């Protein structure tokens, strides 16, 4: 079975055709439980998310701030496994038809086996992977199997990336480019900052891939700001925090659905 890279492309193109940015939501698998995590993904899609990233919980998440680290810890203590990540992708995709990616560090894939991981992700209906710590120059094996199975390879670029480096990264990637709005870890911020707009401009000069911005967006106003210059707005910590702050799972699902609705309005006010 082939993965859903084409669905990802058509979804991002459809948002552009509507003269808006796509809303991309991030939630970790297994949080607060595997079943609860699947329902949370369905809730953000019901609220208006166009694309969802499923986080593969990791004990040493170098890109993730304290909010996502807390959720990852809950998921890991709950015994989450890669099989649960694949189940989350499968059930979310089958229920919604929305493109679902996995965001993961390289070590779990390396240990699991690249061929096995890509084959299972494609079979689950996944659209691809975001790989924040896989160097492009070491990515040939992954890209070979991802392409074979119809999966996008999304690399992360940062404000510190030089233009030549940006060109190397974007030439190797597919699906879209993840532009980190600032130097640092994930988390909500008071402002997203001018660095993000400059980075998007420099990245676009090297590629025709959509450029989507993450790190720091937490409300509709910020989503509208980023949507003014990016093809997609990526929101993670705000959704996870809404789940963490809720008194129970039902309230958490209501909170993330409502937040997705506000953000979906924001990306339409670019």
């Amino acid at each position: 079975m082939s993965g859903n890279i084409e669905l990802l492309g058509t979804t991002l193109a459809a948002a552009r055709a509507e003269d808006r940015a796509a809303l991309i939501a991030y939630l970790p698998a297994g949080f607060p439980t595997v079943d609860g995590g699947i329902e949370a993904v369905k809730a953000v899609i019901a609220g208006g998310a166009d694309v969802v990233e499923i986080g593969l919980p990791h004990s040493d998440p170098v890109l993730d701030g304290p909010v996502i680290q807390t959720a990852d810890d809950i998921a890991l203590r709950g015994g989450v496994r890669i099989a649960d990540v694949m189940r989350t992708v499968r059930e979310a995709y089958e229920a919604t038809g929305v493109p679902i990616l996995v965001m993961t560090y390289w070590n779990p894939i390396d240990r699991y086996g690249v061929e096995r991981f890509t084959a299972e992700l494609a079979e689950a209906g996944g659209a691809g992977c975001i790989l924040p710590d896989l160097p492009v120059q070491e990515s040939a094996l992954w890209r070979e199997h991802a392409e074979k199975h119809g999966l996008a390879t999304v690399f992360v670029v940062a404000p510190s990336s030089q233009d030549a480096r940006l060109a190397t990264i974007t030439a190797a990637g597919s699906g879209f480019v993840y532009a980190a709005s600032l130097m640092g870890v994930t988390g909500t911020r008071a402002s997203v900052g001018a660095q993000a707009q400059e980075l998007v401009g420099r990245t676009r000069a090297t590629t025709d891939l959509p450029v989507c911005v993450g790190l720091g967006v937490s409300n509709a106003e910020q989503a509208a700001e980023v949507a003014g210059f990016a093809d997609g707005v990526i929101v993670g910590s705000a959704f996870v925090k809404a789940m963490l702050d809720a008194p129970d799972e039902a309230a958490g699902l209501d909170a993330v659905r409502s937040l997705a609705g506000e953000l979906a309005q924001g990306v339409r006010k670019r």
Side-chain angles (χ1 to χ4, degrees):
M1 178 175 175
S2 181
N4 273 311
I5 186 173
E6 290 186 7
L7 175 64
L8 176 63
T10 57
T11 299
L12 294 173
R16 177 180 288 184
E18 295 173 10
D19 193 30
R20 66 174 179 88
L23 174 60
I24 303 175
Y26 166 95
L27 285 165
F31 168 73
T33 62
V34 176
D35 289 342
I38 292 167
E39 292 308 311
V41 176
K42 294 178 185 177
V44 297
I45 293 169
D50 299 291
V51 178
V52 176
E53 304 172 7
I54 304 296
L56 195 162
H58 194 275
S59 58
D60 187 25
V62 294
L63 185 68
D64 296 310
V67 170
I68 292 175
Q69 285 186 33
T70 298
D72 277 4
D73 185 57
I74 290 169
L76 290 168
R77 284 190 283 113
V80 71
R81 295 289 182 266
I82 288 179
D84 300 310
V85 177
M86 298 300 178
R87 180 187 155 210
T88 301
V89 172
R90 177 181 294 103
E91 294 194 15
Y93 170 65
E94 289 179 350
T96 66
V98 163
I100 312 288
L101 300 104
V102 169
M103 185 165 186
T104 178
Y105 299 98
W106 180 245
N107 180 258
I109 295 178
D110 192 38
R111 292 189 62 183
Y112 198 72
V114 176
E115 169 60 23
R116 181 184 178 194
F117 190 95
T118 51
E120 290 184 7
L121 182 56
E123 191 275 330
C129 257
I130 300 162
L131 301 160
D133 68 340
L134 177 63
V136 170
Q137 61 269 27
E138 298 175 19
S139 67
L141 178 65
W142 163 266
R143 288 187 285 124
E144 174 191 340
H145 288 287
E147 185 175 356
K148 180 172 76 171
H149 290 291
L151 299 169
T153 297
V154 179
F155 289 115
V156 179
V157 298
S160 61
S161 301
Q162 299 298 312
D163 291 350
R165 178 68 175 165
L166 286 176
T168 300
I169 293 170
T170 58
S174 57
F176 65 91
V177 182
Y178 187 126
S181 66
L182 41 76
M183 300 302 293
V185 297
T186 59
T188 60
R189 301 290 197 281
S191 64
V192 178
Q195 287 185 107
Q197 187 167 359
E198 181 195 13
L199 176 59
V200 169
R202 291 196 296 119
T203 304
R204 281 198 176 131
T206 71
T207 183
D208 292 329
L209 289 173
V211 183
C212 304
V213 171
L215 274 68
V217 178
S218 61
N219 58 48
E221 183 179 12
Q222 290 173 335
E225 176 190 353
V226 173
F229 58 81
D231 299 297
V233 179
I234 303 168
V235 180
S237 294
F239 284 120
V240 176
K241 187 174 188 301
M243 293 285 289
L244 285 169
D245 290 348
D248 54 50
E249 189 174 304
L253 296 178
D254 287 342
V256 295
R257 187 182 301 108
S258 176
L259 177 59
E262 294 170 15
L263 293 164
Q265 288 184 323
V267 300
R268 287 164 171 79
K269 294 178 181 176
R270 56 192 309 173

